[in-house]
Amino acid sequence: MAPNEEDSTLLKLELACTDLKNLLRASAKVEETLEKIDSKFEDTEETLSTAAKRLAPLHSLAMTAKALETRINRAVSPALALLDSFKLAESLQQNLLAVSSKASSERNTKRRLKQLLKYVDCVDQLNATITTISQDGEPVIQKLQEVVEFLSRTKATDQYRTHRLRETLVTLKTLYENEVDAMRFDGLLDESLLNLQDEFEGMLQQLKHQDIGESREDEDAEIVGSDLGSEMEVQVLRGIAETLANNDCLDICIDIFVKVRYRRAAKALMRLNPDYLKTYSPEEIDQMEWESLETAITLWIQHFELAVKTVFISEKKLCVQVLGGIMDGVIWLECFVKIADKIMAVFFRFGEGVARSSKEPQKLFKLLDMFDSLEKLKIQFSEVFEGEAGADICTRFRELEKLLIHASSKVFWEFGLQIEGNADGFPPPQDCSVPKLVRYAINYLKYLATDIYSVSMAKVLRTEQIWKAGILSKPETDENLLNDSITNIMEALQRNIESKRSHYRDKIQPHVFAMNTYWYIYMRTRNTELGKLLGDKYMKKTYKVLTEESAYLYQRQAWGPLVRLLDTEDLKKQSTVGAIMKSKMDAFFRGFEEISQKHRGFYVIQDIDLREQIREATIKFVVPVYTEFFNSYSSVVQAKSYIHPQSVQGLLGQIFNGADRVSDGKFRRRDSKDRLAGGISTSIESDIKDFRRSGSNASDI
């Protein structure tokens, strides 16, 4: 077993030795191979180094060529774009002519407006293209010229190509210098802008105000402005305006707009026939008939409101729609004010003329109407004429309000002064009737105290007081101001009445005059706004009491002497009662006849109720005394020789028979109410004459 193990070990060692030999031989071969490769690498490196040295000039030339290409492209590309712009401009001009031809031949309004929109858009594109050419031309030519000069100087390319590039430069430069200005100022663009101006003016003229000057079914309906054009019309007008503005035609655009819309607004208002506005100076207004002036002021108020609420609101809306997008909305308000300024100046001129004209009493109510209309319009007027552009018109509006306040207050105060100064101006009425001045003044103040005018008058008085006393003062309430002012005029009227009363020479007429006048004031004032303003207590304490006092004095002065004639004290001491009685009766009826005649023409009591009260009071005052006298002494003489007390009552009734005083100074009979009770139908004169004839035949006892 041992020898076998040794043999196997030896065999393994031999095999290992063989493998080592083989490995050494392989390593020697690898080493030889690596030496060969190293030699080849050295040869390759030497070759590459030589090649690199030979390729270096070519690389430099390639970099130079790349830089030259970039420089040329940087000049040529904009030049090509500029040429494309010229081609586009030419194409747009052709399109513009085609659209213009279609728009001119189109009869349908809506389709024509669409063509105009295309026309405006084409003009905008042409303008933008020409603007691009104008802005880019000089820089492009400058760059191209620099490239040509560089190539010529450096000889970076052949002469043929440099020559062609130079010719292109000259052609492009000539085209730019000759064509751009022609396209902008003398070409189709300029003609198109002129066409747009004509279209702009024509479309603006077609936008009319509707329903101006036509009667409205509902007079109380709110007056509002309306749109002047359709949505598409406004769109076209706005596009034209913006196109004109973008082409340096803004001034022309504004002139056209203001001129056309001013004429349209003025023509709309002329449909109202405002011929009265031609008369505006205070002197001319003073010469107008009152009815004509009253009508003119009424029309002025209506037309002023209509102008502000309809015409100018519509015009303002159109200005915003058409011109609002130009210059960030700066100019449209100024254009609107230019349109309205001349028209408003005419309205203001008339209003100022009325305010500065003579301060006649009847003008007060029309002045208050004008003031009230301005007060109602004040807020809306400020909104319509807003901003700095409308400041002048708003200032003139406020100045007109001030003039109306001054004029109204002056007319009111001068009315009181005229009443005061009229005390000796005219004699008192001979028939003791109510003077026209009193009638006028009471009706005047009654009208002033109504809700229509009391608020405006109080506002005028309060404003005037604040102006005089200062803004920090504490004015009275409107009601107290108006009450005090009207009370002052009523007191002036009372002084006027008392002054006229003192001018009568007759003893009884002053009392009849005062009774008639104060009763008229009291009855016409109570249960009215004027009576409520003055107060029922004041009216009774002043005018009713004065009426009662005058009635008492009238009765004592007119009928007291007759009643005293029938005093029986002296008859008791006389023996010849019949003669004294006859004398008293004669004197009584002579006085009765005299006073009855004076009641016809001098002691006229016009008011039916007052006349009835005086009749009853006079009957109660006279008839009982006459009845007592008649009953006491009728037995002494023949009773048929005397007028019965019932007949005396009838005669007194005839004196207060209800006849009304008319303008010609004659009496007018009433109906059956005026007939006397007891069947008495004879006149006062015939009854008294019958008594005298019968009395003259009676024997003295």
Side-chain angles (χ1 to χ4, degrees), residues 12-139:
K12 289 179 180 179
L13 289 171
E14 288 177 352
L15 289 172
C17 181
T18 301
D19 290 336
L20 287 173
K21 288 179 180 180
N22 291 334
L23 182 62
L24 289 172
R25 283 195 294 270
S27 296
K29 290 180 179 180
V30 169
E31 184 177 1
E32 289 177 2
T33 303
L34 289 175
E35 286 177 356
K36 292 178 180 179
I37 290 172
D38 185 50
S39 176
K40 289 181 179 180
F41 272 132
E42 289 177 356
D43 293 340
T44 301
E45 183 178 5
E46 184 178 354
T47 300
L48 288 175
S49 177
T50 303
K53 291 177 181 179
R54 292 177 179 178
L55 289 175
L58 295 176
H59 178 71
S60 177
L61 288 174
M63 294 295 293
T64 303
K66 184 67 176 177
L68 182 61
E69 181 185 7
T70 302
R71 186 165 189 173
I72 292 173
N73 288 338
R74 197 176 295 168
V76 172
S77 295
L80 293 174
L82 184 63
L83 291 174
D84 290 338
S85 296
F86 275 108
K87 292 179 182 179
L88 178 60
E90 184 178 0
S91 175
L92 288 172
Q93 290 180 23
Q94 296 299 325
N95 292 339
L96 199 59
L97 290 173
V99 174
S100 176
S101 178
K102 289 182 181 179
S104 300
S105 61
E106 184 61 62
R107 294 289 177 252
N108 183 275
T109 303
K110 190 171 182 179
R111 287 197 291 268
R112 188 173 188 277
L113 290 173
K114 290 182 178 179
Q115 290 297 326
L116 283 175
L117 282 175
K118 292 181 180 179
Y119 189 79
V120 170
D121 183 61
C122 196
V123 171
D124 288 337
Q125 292 182 40
L126 179 59
N127 176 58
T129 302
I130 294 175
T131 301
T132 301
I133 293 173
S134 177
Q135 292 175 350
D136 297 344
E138 289 187 4

Side-chain angles (χ1 to χ4, degrees), residues 507-508 554-568 583-597 599 603 618 621-627 629 648 651-652 655-656 684 688 692:
K507 295 186 298 181
I508 301 173
Y554 154 77
Q555 189 180 69
R556 291 302 172 190
Q557 292 287 344
W559 302 103
L562 294 182
V563 171
R564 287 194 295 272
L565 285 173
L566 301 179
D567 186 19
T568 58
S583 174
K584 284 180 174 289
M585 293 296 275
D586 283 339
F588 176 83
F589 283 105
R590 278 197 303 273
F592 197 97
E593 182 179 4
E594 180 182 352
I595 198 169
S596 67
Q597 290 177 351
H599 273 80
Y603 305 158
T618 303
F621 183 59
V622 176
V623 173
V625 176
Y626 180 81
T627 302
F629 182 86
V648 173
L651 293 174
L652 288 172
I655 292 175
F656 306 99
I684 297 175
I688 294 176
R692 287 179 176 173

Side-chain angles (χ1 to χ4, degrees), residues 616-671:
E616 293 178 359
T618 303
I619 289 174
K620 290 179 182 180
F621 183 59
V622 176
V623 173
V625 176
Y626 180 81
T627 302
E628 182 183 356
F629 182 86
F630 181 84
N631 291 336
S632 299
Y633 296 98
S634 60
S635 59
V636 179
V637 294
Q638 296 179 1
K640 62 181 181 180
S641 302
Y642 302 95
I643 295 179
H644 195 273
Q646 187 177 359
S647 297
V648 173
Q649 182 173 345
L651 293 174
L652 288 172
Q654 285 189 6
I655 292 175
F656 306 99
N657 63 1
D660 278 344
R661 187 73 170 174
V662 294
S663 59
D664 58 359
K666 297 180 180 179
F667 282 98
R668 181 176 59 198
R669 286 288 178 183
R670 287 283 188 180
D671 53 16

